[in-house]
Amino acid sequence: MSTQVKSISEVLKDAPKNWGRWGAEDELGAVNFLDQLQVLRGVASVQSGKVFTLGCPIARKEGDPVWPGRSQPGHHMTQDHGTYCCGKLQPLGAGLQYADDVIYMAVQGTTQFDALGHVWYDDAVYNGFSANTTIDGMEKCSIMPIAEHGVVGRGVLLDVARYKGKKHLDKGEQITLEDLLNTAKAQGVTIQKRDIILIRTGWISVFYNQGATIFYEGDFNEPGITYTPELVQWFYDMEIPAFGTDTIANEQTVSSVTGTALPLHGALLRNLGVSFNEIDWLEDLADDCEKDGQYTFLYAAAPLKIVQGTGAPVNPIVIK
Ligand code: UVW
């Protein structure tokens, strides 16, 4: 017997929205919550000055973790010592030579932020702008408003993999709201309103430790949180401005609750305007948090200012 999967529109018909909350022209979404007070809350959580960068390396010879179908970043030298050796270039003035290179990549082909207009359904992106505004460049809800504002506040790591006693979660494993709250409890941390949440699944380490073949084998189905009314209500009530994970899409790929693909891109990104910071490297931060017991920190990230971009690479910084 085949069961019909409901459309995302039906699944999310009663889900909360932040459309209009910051005005009819708003393109920044829940990052509006990150005011000066939130920056000071983040700064107040700094205790030792330890710094962690969450960006993954770009354009490794062995390849990078990208959403299936997206091309790998390409990195090419446009000039180097060889260009001078074979006489194609003359040194600048008194013998100075230099190397240059170019990179060609999907704007979401590495650690990155999604623009709020990146994903839509029912022909509308965040705040009700028409999906037509995405044609030939994001006229509305591009990455620019987030890039210009910056995402700075108090961050909290929820190391769900460690809480569950695993190196990494299994393919397609669901993280429930209860898992998030129990993880916080086990870590002795209280999640506060307007915190930026980092959820560790350990999943991206499968790509680096076991290789692309194992990472992509079979149906692509990452572990993560997924749509449930209580989880989305919690994000809404807690005024979560942004969240990051160590997966490519920040949520269970195919929801084990709704059967739909990436429903949280609809419920959180499109409807609540919550910013998605994807493909974070969380292993070093998580190891350190376990050692010193400090799971809160200053989180600061500014995606690149790609005009009309659907997203942009970023190298978030955590300071403990
Ligand atoms: C998709 O675009 C499908 O996912 P992501 O948000 O991970 O880029």
Side-chain angles (χ1 to χ4, degrees):
M1 202 179 70
S2 73
T3 47
Q4 186 85 31
V5 173
K6 281 191 194 166
S7 71
I8 187 153
S9 177
E10 267 178 280
V11 169
L12 301 183
K13 72 177 177 351
D14 298 320
K17 279 200 183 92
N18 277 329
W19 296 8
R21 184 171 187 160
W22 297 284
E25 291 307 314
D26 178 61
E27 300 175 45
L28 184 59
V31 165
N32 276 295
F33 288 132
L34 292 176
D35 52 17
Q36 288 170 250
L37 210 64
Q38 306 317 313
V39 176
L40 294 179
R41 259 187 349 103
V43 169
S45 65
V46 174
Q47 290 182 22
S48 63
K50 282 186 262 186
V51 175
F52 297 86
T53 58
L54 308 186
C56 289
I58 299 174
R60 299 180 328 143
K61 297 269 185 283
E62 316 86 303
D64 302 341
V66 294
W67 178 259
R70 279 199 184 123
S71 54
Q72 284 287 328
H75 176 223
H76 309 286
M77 300 306 287
T78 50
Q79 64 182 67
D80 54 26
H81 193 230
T83 326
Y84 293 96
C85 289
C86 67
K88 285 197 171 158
L89 262 183
Q90 294 308 313
L92 286 176
L96 190 77
Q97 303 183 352
Y98 67 99
D100 257 0
D101 49 359
V102 292
I103 193 150
Y104 178 84
M105 64 185 292
V107 296
Q108 304 187 8
T110 186
T111 308
Q112 49 102 8
F113 267 76
D114 282 348
L116 292 187
H118 169 49
V119 165
W120 64 92
Y121 61 88
D122 287 350
D123 294 337
V125 302
Y126 168 72
N127 218 10
F129 296 112
S130 162
N132 286 341
T133 59
T134 66
I135 296 173
D136 206 24
M138 310 292 283
E139 224 178 272
K140 295 285 181 187
C141 299
S142 76
I143 197 61
M144 280 298 268
I146 299 168
E148 281 170 345
H149 185 282
V151 182
V152 182
R154 191 179 94 133
V156 178
L157 176 73
L158 298 176
D159 190 346
V160 178
R162 219 176 226 107
Y163 166 69
K164 291 195 174 193
K166 295 176 164 186
K167 263 189 160 154
H168 59 81
L169 299 190
D170 299 327
K171 194 186 188 82
E173 182 171 349
Q174 186 195 345
I175 298 173
T176 63
L177 175 60
E178 210 186 353
D179 290 331
L180 294 183
L181 301 180
N182 285 342
T183 301
K185 202 167 167 198
Q187 292 175 177
V189 68
T190 305
I191 303 169
Q192 297 175 359
K193 256 187 156 176
R194 303 193 176 186
D195 279 345
I196 296 161
I197 308 292
L198 299 180
I199 302 170
R200 177 176 171 265
T201 67
W203 185 246
I204 219 74
S205 66
V206 173
F207 180 90
Y208 291 108
N209 296 337
Q210 299 179 42
T213 309
I214 290 179
F215 185 75
Y216 290 110
E217 109 188 321
D219 292 334
F220 185 75
N221 198 4
E222 296 189 295
I225 54 174
T226 191
Y227 174 76
T228 59
E230 57 276 13
L231 180 119
V232 171
Q233 192 62 42
W234 183 82
F235 267 78
Y236 179 77
D237 292 342
M238 293 297 286
E239 299 181 345
I240 302 298
F243 80 111
T245 76
D246 54 354
T247 64
I248 292 174
N250 266 15
E251 60 174 307
Q252 196 186 26
T253 311
V254 181
S255 172
S256 49
V257 175
T258 65
T260 48
L262 306 184
L264 289 182
H265 276 66
L268 299 182
L269 187 81
R270 173 196 184 264
N271 292 351
L272 294 185
V274 173
S275 267
F276 279 45
N277 166 209
E278 298 170 330
I279 324 184
D280 281 333
W281 179 252
L282 298 177
E283 299 304 291
D284 299 314
L285 174 64
D287 287 347
D288 191 75
C289 292
E290 196 204 19
K291 259 188 235 139
D292 68 8
Q294 184 193 337
Y295 286 86
T296 57
F297 36 76
L298 174 67
Y299 170 99
L304 298 180
K305 294 181 179 177
I306 299 180
V307 177
Q308 298 199 325
T310 66
V314 69
N315 185 11
I317 291 185
V318 159
I319 307 175
K320 289 179 70 180

